[in-house]
Amino acid sequence: MQEIIVIIIGVIVALLVIYKVYGFFFSKNEQKGNCGCSNCGCSTNKKSKIV
């Protein structure tokens, strides 16, 4: 019984990870910058400098 629960949880976690990786690389709507993130060095948006 315990093994079945562990397998079910493992499958759910694996599906969530695959979904997030697929969404990060292939969803153009979620990508803010050229690299897929909104607050990194390769983003095209200008950053405000903290003095």
Side-chain angles (χ1 to χ4, degrees):
M1 182 67 184
Q2 187 176 3
E3 295 87 5
I4 296 172
I5 295 172
V6 170
I7 290 171
I8 291 172
I9 292 173
V11 168
I12 291 172
V13 169
L15 289 175
L16 285 173
V17 168
I18 291 170
Y19 174 75
K20 292 292 184 178
V21 169
Y22 177 81
F24 180 76
F25 285 110
F26 296 108
S27 177
K28 300 297 179 190
N29 293 334
E30 292 182 8
Q31 293 182 355
K32 305 287 190 285
N34 292 334
C35 65
C37 56
S38 61
N39 199 15
C40 65
C42 60
S43 179
T44 58
N45 296 335
K46 292 184 178 181
K47 297 180 182 178
S48 61
K49 294 183 179 180
I50 300 174
V51 179

